[in-house]
Amino acid sequence: MDQLATLYRAAQFYAHTAHHFAKGATFYQDHEVFEELYSAYESAYDSLVERMIGNGEPFNPQQILTNAAAEANRYADPATFSQQTSFQVLLGIEQRI
């Protein structure tokens, strides 16, 4: 379950980063979609973690956050950012989920 929690949190971090990097002709639409996505990933993460805690499963939030940040940072390069790439990255993370 830690791996799943890490992927949800990484998706949240990445979508929030994409939300801040959005620009250009589709800024308003993409900015809004990324906001919806990072909110959905945060909710999924929170639900999963609450289930883990409720079931008495081991939970190390610092390790999950560290791993999720590392995962999100693999893709979040401002120099190569594009909205299209961001949607592809998020789709890839969702496929792993």
Side-chain angles (χ1 to χ4, degrees):
M1 296 277 268
D2 280 358
Q3 286 181 317
L4 185 56
T6 297
L7 286 173
Y8 277 132
R9 192 57 127 181
Q12 181 217 348
F13 289 161
Y14 186 82
H16 206 153
T17 299
H19 171 79
H20 291 290
F21 283 154
K23 60 186 174 195
T26 60
F27 167 77
Y28 292 107
Q29 301 93 317
D30 292 342
H31 189 74
E32 185 174 328
V33 169
F34 288 129
E35 181 176 359
E36 291 172 8
L37 288 171
Y38 76 71
S39 295
Y41 295 133
E42 181 178 24
S43 180
Y45 168 80
D46 193 56
S47 294
L48 179 64
V49 166
E50 287 173 357
R51 185 173 305 134
M52 291 170 66
I53 293 168
N55 289 333
E57 295 183 31
F59 172 65
N60 183 337
Q62 291 83 4
Q63 190 62 54
I64 289 172
L65 292 175
T66 299
N67 293 345
E71 178 73 20
N73 282 333
R74 289 179 35 203
Y75 310 107
D77 181 358
T80 60
F81 174 82
S82 77
Q83 278 96 293
Q84 184 62 35
T85 300
S86 294
F87 288 120
Q88 291 170 348
V89 167
L90 289 168
L91 178 60
I93 293 172
E94 286 198 17
Q95 289 170 335
R96 292 171 58 200
I97 289 171

